[in-house]
Amino acid sequence: MNNNKKLFLIDAYPLIYQSYYAYINKPLFTSKGLNTSPIINFTYLLMKTLNDEKPSYMAIIFDDNQEISFRKKEYYKYKEHRKKTPQAICIAIPYIRKILKTFQISYFYAKNGYEADDLIGTIAKKAENKGYIIYIITLDKDFFQLVTENIKVYIPPFKGNPKKIFGIEEIKKKFGVTHPKQVIDLWSMMGDPSDNIPGLPGIGEKNAKKFIQKYGSIEKLLNSTHHLNGKIQKNIEENKNLGLLSKKLITIVTNIPLFSFHENKFYVKKPNWHSIKKIFGELEFIRLLKIAHQYYKYKT
């Protein structure tokens, strides 16, 4: 695989949470009592990506959990049901940052009310404009809206399942849309319980897909309610604002102001083997150290 113009962007927190909950019933601890559950699968995924894909350009993107997103300001119920970040994850983040530094992989935090999704979207679009092919490594379906000829969604392997890469045709087939951007309208109609986005009451997946195929967008649906009847017509007409609000919340920002794409910030350099051995030794990642050494030998 020629990766000279390929950029891999990892959506950090969903993968860290996945790692934490994968061991929720039997957490992993070091001999000194450190819970490494949130770290181990994330690190394994990083190792596997480095060894399998051998990326020349990569970055890890984090949310800044200290800031209130513009979506929360727009709709106070946004992600309202989300629980406080587990303490084990809070403790794990500095270790994950250390691991990234030892591998000389850049990481960025979303700022100024934007979320990791928005920063990833902005980086992806700016990189695309400079001729890159971008792979967004994530578990978040929201990124399907960003898919183009040059931007792919990369679902990492987990629990024996192989990786999946979604391009335009895969999105069209999966959601019954004519273009990936229409998944925004699809979820604007259906809502998204995971983020507490309301959508249009009473509109499930079946009707949402039917409306997308007939009208193409939520705006065109809202302007065509005179063609509907009964309870569906009433629900949509009485909740137009909720539908439009949902679209605003779901849409990933791809033009964060003042952010510039400088490819040198994303270049993956030779890892620091001494530092890798030190941090992996502290975390007691014996098997992962062997996997890391495979990558180190490749880079040297």
Side-chain angles (χ1 to χ4, degrees), residues 169-230:
E169 292 306 315
E170 288 80 8
I171 300 297
K172 288 164 65 174
K173 182 178 179 180
K174 183 176 178 65
F175 296 103
V177 295
T178 58
H179 190 280
K181 279 187 176 294
Q182 286 182 314
V183 298
I184 301 173
D185 297 274
L186 190 70
W187 294 323
S188 300
M189 296 177 193
M190 293 169 52
D192 184 358
S194 66
D195 287 339
N196 209 34
I197 293 173
L200 294 169
I203 304 300
E205 182 176 357
K206 183 178 178 180
N207 278 325
K209 285 184 175 180
K210 181 179 73 175
F211 290 144
I212 283 293
Q213 289 165 5
K214 185 171 183 179
Y215 299 109
S217 71
I218 191 170
E219 289 85 358
K220 289 183 180 178
L221 168 64
L222 297 178
N223 289 328
S224 305
T225 55
H226 55 283
H227 293 304
L228 307 177
N229 53 58

Side-chain angles (χ1 to χ4, degrees), residues 1-10 45-60 103-106 132-135 137 154 163 263 266-271 295 298-299:
M1 180 183 287
N2 182 359
N3 283 337
N4 288 338
K5 296 291 282 187
K6 290 184 179 179
L7 169 64
F8 289 77
L9 300 173
I10 295 183
L45 168 66
L46 179 66
M47 297 297 95
K48 186 165 179 59
T49 304
L50 292 173
N51 278 315
D52 291 357
E53 309 295 349
K54 297 178 173 56
S56 296
Y57 297 89
M58 174 182 271
I60 317 299
F103 281 90
Q104 299 222 58
I105 296 170
S106 296
Y132 282 79
I133 296 175
I134 299 92
Y135 292 87
I137 301 180
Y154 182 124
K163 71 181 182 185
E263 62 182 21
F266 298 85
Y267 185 72
V268 180
K269 302 173 186 176
K270 176 183 173 181
Y295 175 69
Y298 160 74
K299 290 294 282 187

Side-chain angles (χ1 to χ4, degrees), residues 46-84:
L46 179 66
M47 297 297 95
K48 186 165 179 59
T49 304
L50 292 173
N51 278 315
D52 291 357
E53 309 295 349
K54 297 178 173 56
S56 296
Y57 297 89
M58 174 182 271
I60 317 299
I61 313 299
F62 293 87
D63 278 308
D64 186 341
N65 291 329
Q66 304 303 313
E67 292 194 8
I68 299 175
S69 78
F70 77 86
R71 293 177 178 85
K72 185 72 172 177
K73 293 177 181 178
E74 194 77 29
Y75 181 59
Y76 75 95
K77 293 183 179 180
Y78 176 69
K79 294 187 177 180
E80 186 181 47
H81 60 295
R82 293 282 181 93
K83 296 179 181 178
K84 187 178 178 180

Side-chain angles (χ1 to χ4, degrees), residues 102-115:
T102 66
F103 281 90
Q104 299 222 58
I105 296 170
S106 296
Y107 61 88
F108 301 91
Y109 277 84
K111 298 285 186 181
N112 301 321
Y114 294 101
E115 298 179 64

